[in-house]
Amino acid sequence: MLLSMLGDMPDMLDEIVAWTPKTYRQHFEDSGLAFAPIAIEAFDHVPMEYRVPFDETINDMNSLIVEAVATLSPMRDDTDMLGFTAGDYWRRLQELVDRGSAIVHGSVQDHNPAVTMDQSEIDDLF
């Protein structure tokens, strides 16, 4: 989200530079969400056919953000280029977020049924 705002608020670059990745567990532990404990527990039981593409997607997201920080930091004084480039990174990151969401929520992506679970499989996890 910060990447999408950088064109209008270039001072947000400091927030982006300060970002550090979190594991799935850390994300939910820090979230304050009521369902966080069950999300953490369920994650330990996700079949590898879903876990591997999810973990790969998260790794791709983290790598893209690291790349964005390295690319955007020298542009601090060129706000037009900063905003344009940040927007490109935001779009690329959003595609990865959508892919992760499709894996989590069982949407078919690229006609690959391996990224979906039917309700009975989800029920079996619980």
Side-chain angles (χ1 to χ4, degrees):
M1 184 170 89
L2 294 177
L3 286 171
S4 69
M5 298 167 42
L6 205 50
D8 294 324
M9 301 172 63
D11 56 317
M12 296 302 290
L13 182 58
D14 292 333
E15 297 292 323
I16 294 169
V17 170
W19 172 87
T20 58
K22 290 183 180 183
T23 65
Y24 185 89
R25 179 179 299 277
Q26 290 168 328
H27 167 74
F28 277 102
E29 287 172 347
D30 296 344
S31 72
L33 297 170
F35 62 85
I38 197 163
I40 292 168
E41 184 176 339
F43 190 67
D44 292 335
H45 302 284
V46 173
M48 293 308 287
E49 64 189 286
Y50 307 105
R51 178 72 180 263
V52 170
F54 182 79
D55 288 343
E56 288 172 352
T57 300
I58 298 304
N59 289 337
D60 290 346
M61 291 168 65
N62 290 338
S63 295
L64 185 63
I65 295 170
V66 168
E67 178 186 323
V69 168
T71 301
L72 296 169
S73 291
M75 297 178 183
R76 184 177 299 274
D77 296 327
D78 185 350
T79 56
D80 289 337
M81 184 57 88
L82 181 69
F84 176 79
T85 306
D88 180 59
Y89 275 108
W90 177 80
R91 283 184 287 285
R92 292 167 56 194
L93 185 60
Q94 189 59 51
E95 289 174 10
L96 292 170
V97 169
D98 292 345
R99 183 190 321 159
S101 180
I103 294 167
V104 168
H105 299 290
S107 299
V108 175
Q109 180 162 349
D110 298 327
H111 308 289
N112 181 356
V115 298
T116 64
M117 294 177 76
D118 64 46
Q119 187 60 48
S120 65
E121 291 174 303
I122 294 168
D123 292 343
D124 289 344
L125 289 174
F126 293 99

